[in-house]
């Protein structure tokens, strides 16, 4: 056992932890990062955001080659799926990016420790790996240990046919029948991937709608489009059990029905990762949802111990964790740092994409906030027509008296990229009139945002 003294030890090398470590090093701190996996990047890079986006892109191209290229005058003959190559490309993208973070750590002179990190009293972290246990010490410790897939009583995960998103990122063959439990971000993204690759996908959702929390008009439109693409939704369906039956699986739902399938994807949310973190050693107790309580400065009740990302309150999103990572370190070093929780965008990377920032219409109604609404369909966009992707719309919500933009919700081509403009405008307190008067390039999809802003005042040009 040896001891090293740092200014900051970050436990967890995901988007929250590695970004915090880099920002701290930029600000002159002597930083260590403890990560149990052999590669940096956390769930997002290894088994989350990045690999799923690779699969979404590849499956969309496979699907387009079969269905829409001919309309562009491109003849490709018989289209066949080479799943091993598709999966290998995903692995290559992931390893390139994780190595990139390793290089950033070297450039910023961050000390990397591979092993399980555990708090061991004030300013002390024990790192356990195959090689034994060592002790590190620091004036500040940042917990950024992320989250893990939630389990569901009765669903017997076997790491193979009944699994979570981790297994669904690498099925060795296209399942003939896939049952997805949960119509949230993960269920829809990975459900769409395997549906496009040829699986018959049934999505079982406990609530009477998909994408809980999302603007319900946009979520309804998404359900209609995904149904048209071939996904089957069974809403208001609570899953009681799922178990293996030989090479097949049997999923039982509350009304007594059972569904036989080849694979099951459990996607009913994620829970904070606090296993064996030594929280007792510093007097931290979890809240009712298993999260680490923090104040506005991300400080836990233990002096010198901070927490960010999926282990604390707020949406479990990589970019939220990154913002917190920068804010916590800037607060420590410069005395100020800030995250605007009203403006954290969310994107579902299906086809079409769904993107959202600010308040939903449902939330405005519930709060009794007076608002005006402008929508613009991609059907009326020249660029969407040329691309051949006319499903969906942009919806803008602005305060009825001040005209300040309160929410923007998009379902349609490149929605995830388009929402960035809305985030920037809202961060600067823009009104819908401001956005409507900005000259947008023609022909682009971004004009749909301008048109939705015009529509708030009933003066969209092309609709
Ligand atoms: P989620 O919370 O988005 O959705 C889970 C769904 O499961 C909900 O609709 C819920 O009602 C349903 N559910 C719960 N219990 C059920 C039951 N017994 N039977 C049927 N349905 C049930 O969770 P997720 O999709 O697992 O994603 C986990 C986290 O990861 C989310 O916080 C999400 O923000 C994040 N994520 C984000 C992205 C992205 O940004 N594109 C992608 C993937 C995951």
């Amino acid at each position: 056992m040896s001891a090293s003294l740092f200014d900051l030890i970050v436990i967890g090398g995901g988007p929250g932890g590695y970004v915090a470590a880099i920002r701290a090093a930029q600000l002159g701190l002597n930083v260590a990062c403890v990560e149990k996996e052999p590669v940096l990047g956390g769930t997002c890079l290894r088994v989350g955001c990045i690999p799923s986006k690779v699969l979404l892109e590849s499956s969309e191209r496979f699907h387009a080659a079969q269905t829409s290229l001919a309309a562009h005058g491109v003849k490709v003959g018989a289209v066949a799926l080479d799943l091993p190559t598709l999966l290998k490309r995903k692995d290559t993208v992931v390893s390139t990016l994780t190595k990139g973070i390793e290089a950033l750590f070297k450039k910023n002179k961050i000390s990397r420790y591979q092993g399980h990190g555990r708090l061991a009293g004030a300013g002390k972290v024990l790192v356990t790996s195959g090689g034994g246990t060592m002790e590190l010490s620091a004036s500040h410790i940042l917990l950024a240990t992320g989250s893990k897939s939630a389990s569901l009583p009765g669903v017997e995960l076997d790491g193979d046919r009944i699994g979570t998103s981790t297994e669904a990122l690498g099925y060795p063959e296209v399942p003939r029948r896939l049952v997805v439990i949960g119509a949230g971000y993960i269920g829809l993204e990975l459900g769409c991937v395997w549906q496009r690759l040829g699986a018959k996908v049934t999505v079982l959702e406990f609530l009477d709608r998909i994408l809980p929390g999302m603007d319900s008009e946009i979520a309804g439109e998404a359900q209609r489009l995904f149904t048209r693409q071939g996904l089957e939704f069974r809403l208001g369906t609570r899953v009681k059990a799922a178990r293996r039956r030989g090479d097949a699986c049997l999923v039982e739902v509350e009304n007594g029905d059972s569904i036989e399938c080849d694979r099951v994807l459990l996607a009913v949310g994620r829970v904070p990762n606090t296993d064996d973190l030594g929280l007792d050693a510093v007097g931290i107790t979890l809240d009712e949802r298993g999260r680490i309580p923090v104040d506005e400065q991300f400080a836990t009740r233990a002096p010198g111990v901070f927490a960010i990302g999926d282990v604390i309150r707020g949406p479990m999103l990589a970019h939220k964790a990154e913002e917190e990572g920068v804010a916590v370190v800037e607060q420590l070093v410069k005395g100020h740092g800030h995250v605007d929780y009203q403006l954290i965008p969310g994107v579902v990377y299906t086809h079409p994409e769904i993107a959202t920032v600010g308040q939903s219409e449902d939330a405005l109604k519930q709060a009794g906030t007076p608002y005006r609404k402008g929508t613009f369909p991609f059907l009326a966009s020249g660029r969407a027509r040329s691309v051949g992707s006319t499903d969906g719309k942009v919806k803008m919500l602005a305060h009825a008296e001040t005209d300040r933009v309160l929410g923007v919700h998009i379902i349609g081509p490149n929605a995830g990229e388009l929402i960035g403009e809305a985030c920037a405008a809202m961060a600067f307190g823009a009104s819908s009139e401001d956005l409507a008067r900005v000259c947008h390039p023609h022909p682009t999809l971004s004009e749909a945002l301008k048109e939705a802003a015009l529509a708030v005042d009933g003066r969209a040009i092309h609709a």
Side-chain angles (χ1 to χ4, degrees), residues 361-369:
E361 191 171 357
D362 318 69
L364 292 178
K365 275 187 187 147
Q366 205 178 359
T369 308

Side-chain angles (χ1 to χ4, degrees), residues 9 54 99 124 141 254 294 321 325 338 397 415 419 422:
I9 298 171
V54 177
K99 280 187 199 130
K124 294 205 184 324
I141 297 168
E254 210 167 45
V294 290
H338 175 70
L397 303 164
I419 204 73

Side-chain angles (χ1 to χ4, degrees), residues 53 152 181-187 189 204-207 211-212 237-239 267-270 316-317 347-349:
K53 261 77 273 174
L152 195 63
I181 309 175
Y185 281 69
I186 295 178
E189 288 186 356
L204 309 178
E205 167 60 49
F206 165 63
L207 298 175
L211 292 168
T237 302
R238 188 198 286 268
V239 171
V268 292
R270 297 182 62 84
M316 288 182 167
L317 295 169
V347 179
V348 190
Y349 296 84

